[in-house]
Amino acid sequence: MTDLPKTNQREPGPAETIARFEHRKSVSPKSIELFEYTDALRQVGRKNEALQHYAHLATLPIPENKRWLVTLFKGQTLFEMGRFPEAEHAFRDACSHDPSTVPRVYLAAALAEQEQFAAAIGVLANALHCEGDTDEVLLNLALNQRTLGQLAAAQKSLEQALAITPDYTHAQTVLEDVNAALSLNDDVNELQMPT
């Protein structure tokens, strides 16, 4: 798989990608074309077919710096199918081959879907030391912290995310919720204090 040159042409949708690939079956596809076809299958809901193609892609000669994408997208497919332990395994494999934040955010999501929130927090805390979208890591960290009632920690994570990306709408919305919960907790504590 190689990076394709960027052009001003529109990106084809999944149905178009599938149609183009299937109409030229007689030609041996490049691994990038098979990868794009497989992801298009996932996007339109042909997930079992996509999994078969991801298994085939794993056997092809793909540059080492791109190989992790096959397991990442396989994991995403499994995640979308609700097969969270298998998705977790695929995301862990992707993490072992790529040092960025991307597979770690996916891994944390798979752990959270299995209600392993503390484990997800650990993965995300480690991801803060990786290259990538730190604001997204902080948001996901805050979501797991909020789930466990760690509201002050969630507030801090969200404020850090917003310091990086001030117009991060999702982080702003979650911060409003966390601040409202903290405010209610403060009000309850004031009512309970002896006079």
Side-chain angles (χ1 to χ4, degrees):
M1 290 180 358
T2 58
D3 292 328
L4 298 176
K6 300 291 180 195
T7 64
N8 289 335
Q9 295 178 357
R10 69 170 183 77
E11 289 288 323
E16 181 181 350
T17 299
I18 291 167
R20 283 182 188 214
F21 186 90
E22 291 178 350
H23 281 61
R24 55 181 292 271
K25 276 188 174 180
S26 62
V27 178
S28 257
K30 296 178 183 175
S31 56
I32 185 66
E33 294 167 332
L34 182 57
F35 181 81
E36 290 171 349
Y37 170 68
T38 303
D39 189 49
L41 291 174
R42 177 193 63 79
Q43 289 177 51
V44 299
R46 292 166 60 182
K47 293 177 178 31
N48 285 312
E49 287 177 74
L51 288 176
Q52 291 171 3
H53 288 292
Y54 285 127
H56 176 65
L57 276 164
T59 68
L60 297 180
I62 296 172
E64 191 57 39
N65 67 335
K66 300 289 185 184
R67 181 161 291 286
W68 70 278
L69 290 169
V70 174
T71 53
L72 181 82
F73 279 74
K74 176 184 175 186
Q76 184 178 1
T77 305
L78 291 163
F79 185 93
E80 291 171 0
M81 295 172 82
R83 295 164 59 177
F84 303 119
E86 292 171 90
E88 175 190 343
H89 179 75
F91 294 143
R92 285 190 188 281
D93 187 37
C95 287
S96 71
H97 292 95
D98 181 73
S100 77
T101 60
V102 175
R104 286 150 184 82
V105 169
Y106 280 93
L107 173 58
L111 291 167
E113 285 294 334
Q114 297 173 79
E115 297 192 27
Q116 297 177 30
F117 304 111
I121 287 171
V123 167
L124 293 163
N126 288 332
L128 291 172
H129 306 291
C130 298
E131 189 173 318
D133 295 328
T134 304
D135 54 349
E136 184 179 2
V137 172
L138 287 162
L139 170 63
N140 284 280
L141 180 60
L143 291 170
N144 284 283
Q145 291 166 328
R146 179 181 69 172
T147 298
L148 292 181
Q150 301 171 2
L151 298 178
Q155 180 186 52
K156 181 178 176 184
S157 296
L158 292 161
E159 288 170 348
Q160 290 173 339
L162 288 165
I164 296 167
T165 309
D167 61 345
Y168 199 166
T169 307
H170 193 183
Q172 291 168 343
T173 302
V174 176
L175 181 58
E176 289 171 12
D177 178 47
V178 168
N179 285 339
L182 284 168
S183 177
L184 286 172
N185 286 346
D186 290 343
D187 291 346
V188 169
N189 289 337
E190 285 179 20
L191 291 173
Q192 293 176 350
M193 292 185 68
T195 53

